[in-house]
Amino acid sequence: MEIYYARELLRHEQEQRDLAAAHERVNPQPGQRLGALIWHDGKRSVACEISHVDGLSVTLIGRRGSKRVTVCANAQYIEAAQKNTRQRQETLTAGRGAGLFPAF
């Protein structure tokens, strides 16, 4: 059982180091605008802005349609949303170039 607990402790410490490194990369500041973000559920929030930073936790305010949404996240979650947004944009750009999607 001691080995299990030691492994879990090491895993938790590594997760905390990864989270701190992501926080350094994103460097969230209150008032920082992130623009449109596509979250893990595929939903898009536009006009995202950081409203509060508390340690490694970040609060974002954005809009989904006409509704205002508040998202509490960490830097890894924000990085994943930015990656999803870039991938979606690249897919749409490539599709338009191939004539799959009409340009508006």
Side-chain angles (χ1 to χ4, degrees), residues 32-43:
Q32 181 180 357
R33 295 173 189 242
L34 301 175
L37 295 174
I38 298 175
W39 302 104
H40 70 282
D41 59 358
K43 294 185 179 179

Side-chain angles (χ1 to χ4, degrees), residues 9-25 56 76:
L9 177 65
L10 291 174
R11 184 186 59 77
H12 178 70
E13 288 175 351
Q14 182 61 43
E15 287 175 358
Q16 291 301 311
R17 284 192 297 270
D18 292 343
L19 183 57
H23 192 79
E24 289 285 324
R25 287 190 301 270
L56 298 177
Q76 288 176 325

Side-chain angles (χ1 to χ4, degrees), residues 9-10 12 18 22 24 33-34 37 44-45 47 51 65-66 68-69 75 77 87 93 100 103-104:
L9 177 65
L10 291 174
H12 178 70
D18 292 343
E24 289 285 324
R33 295 173 189 242
L34 301 175
L37 295 174
R44 184 172 69 125
S45 297
S51 64
S66 63
R68 182 176 170 213
V69 294
Y77 196 60
Q87 287 176 341
T93 303
L100 298 175
F104 293 98

